[in-house]
Amino acid sequence: MTIIETKRDVETEVSKSRRTDLKLEVVVISVSDVDRAKAFYAKLGWRLDADFASADGWRVIQFTPPGSTCSVIFGTNVTSAAPGSAQGLYLIVSDLEAARQDLLTRGVKVSEPFHGGGDVHAGTDEPYLFGRIRLGGADPERGSYSSFASFRDPDGNGWFFQEVTMRLPGRIDALDATFSSSSELARALRRAAVAHGEHEKRTGAHDENWQDWYADYIVREQLGQPLPT
């Protein structure tokens, strides 16, 4: 190894050790009627964190979706963006239909599930991550990242549900393999149970260490690593 290569490796390690965490915690959207927007996001079941105002017409309202580490802020004199201009706001869910049904029971209009029509980025449908063709129904193979539904707030700010059950490799640091709610963990356990049933069929024997298999499956699924067989 040359001196230059050694120096470069040392600089890389130093850079990694000094890395500063950058946590996206707030997205600001624009609305035309603050109280109407507040009522809508409260109706979604999101947590109201703040509603501050001052005499000069400034007002800021913050909501946080369940299980999210990122919050949404709107109000008056908090952004110069046009009301309804925020589009492509993605809410990641582990069960698309459960997320849809929750909104429907709250009286919120949400689209039917849809999936992409291939790598086509020209079409008549409104653009989203997977192109401009939306096919009805969830992804037939129920692939992770591939099933969607959408809804809008009263100003037209556009939100998507995206179903993610298994992360692509490298998308989550190993130390960050966590679950934000008991329901999310329960869904992971159900997926592990189905996979473990297939595992026992293949081996033809009862797995006494099923707890270890479950734990390994759930962590690997969340980290995007190869699943146990």
Side-chain angles (χ1 to χ4, degrees):
M1 181 178 291
T2 67
I3 294 176
I4 293 177
E5 288 173 331
T6 302
K7 181 181 179 183
R8 185 177 299 144
D9 290 342
V10 171
E11 289 175 344
T12 299
E13 290 304 315
V14 171
S15 176
K16 288 181 179 179
S17 66
R18 294 178 179 174
R19 186 188 71 177
T20 300
D21 288 344
L22 304 175
K23 299 179 180 180
L24 179 64
E25 293 196 358
V26 172
V27 172
V28 179
I29 64 175
S30 183
V31 302
S32 59
D33 185 321
V34 177
D35 288 313
R36 181 180 66 174
K38 180 181 179 181
F40 174 82
Y41 285 98
K43 189 175 183 179
L44 295 182
W46 295 10
R47 185 185 72 229
L48 175 63
D49 300 320
D51 185 349
F52 303 131
S54 65
D56 59 0
W58 172 83
R59 187 178 178 188
V60 60
I61 294 176
Q62 177 174 309
F63 278 95
T64 302
S68 176
T69 56
C70 185
S71 302
V72 177
I73 281 179
F74 55 86
T76 54
N77 293 326
V78 295
T79 177
S80 61
S85 59
Q87 301 298 319
L89 301 167
Y90 283 78
L91 298 166
I92 305 306
V93 298
S94 59
D95 187 326
L96 179 65
E97 193 53 39
R100 287 188 66 256
Q101 289 303 318
D102 179 61
L103 288 198
L104 291 172
T105 58
R106 296 174 184 275
V108 178
K109 183 179 179 180
V110 58
S111 77
E112 294 292 328
F114 62 89
H115 62 282
D119 191 18
V120 179
H121 299 279
T124 58
D125 293 333
E126 183 180 353
Y128 73 114
L129 284 180
F130 278 39
R132 298 199 64 164
I133 295 180
R134 302 184 184 189
L135 301 180
D139 176 52
E141 298 181 0
R142 217 48 185 258
S144 191
Y145 295 93
S146 300
S147 299
F148 303 84
S150 62
F151 66 96
R152 297 182 183 277
D153 72 6
D155 283 283
N157 292 303
W159 295 88
F160 288 92
F161 285 142
Q162 182 180 22
E163 186 177 75
V164 175
T165 53
M166 179 177 179
R167 297 282 179 175
L168 290 172
R171 297 301 177 90
I172 295 181
D173 293 335
L175 295 179
D176 292 335
T178 60
F179 294 91
S180 59
S181 66
S182 59
S183 60
E184 186 179 9
L185 175 58
R187 295 185 186 104
L189 284 167
R190 284 193 285 271
R191 293 192 297 273
V194 172
H196 188 261
E198 295 300 318
H199 164 70
E200 288 188 326
K201 287 180 183 179
R202 288 191 296 270
T203 61
H206 172 65
D207 180 10
E208 293 184 356
N209 296 316
W210 62 268
Q211 301 95 331
D212 295 334
W213 198 98
Y214 270 45
D216 187 39
Y217 182 97
I218 290 172
V219 171
R220 285 174 176 269
E221 181 186 57
Q222 190 177 79
L223 296 180
Q225 297 176 350
L227 298 175
T229 58

